[in-house]
Amino acid sequence: MAGKASPTVKYFQRTLGNAERAILLAAGSGDMSAGFLEVIDTYRHFYNLGLRPSTPLECVVLVIPQAQDD
């Protein structure tokens, strides 16, 4: 992994592995830039719910409500 980026940096460049590339492509429906923004938005949501970098992901449970039939 590359070094830590400065919080004031405008652009940063990282080499993506196949898994990271696949995640960004999936999150953005084939558009890696959109996928990057989706991942940022998803992290913002979970951070607002209390997830912190020190929280083991094994402790996180995701519940997706089922659609109700009318």
Side-chain angles (χ1 to χ4, degrees), residues 16-62:
L16 300 176
N18 290 334
E20 293 89 357
R21 187 175 296 105
I23 289 167
L24 293 178
L25 286 168
S29 299
D31 180 342
M32 283 196 347
S33 292
F36 178 79
L37 294 175
E38 183 68 25
V39 170
I40 294 292
D41 190 49
T42 301
Y43 184 79
R44 177 202 51 81
H45 176 75
F46 286 115
Y47 186 89
N48 288 337
L49 293 174
L51 180 71
R52 297 296 181 264
S54 60
T55 307
L57 292 180
E58 293 80 18
C59 296
V60 177
V61 176
L62 177 64

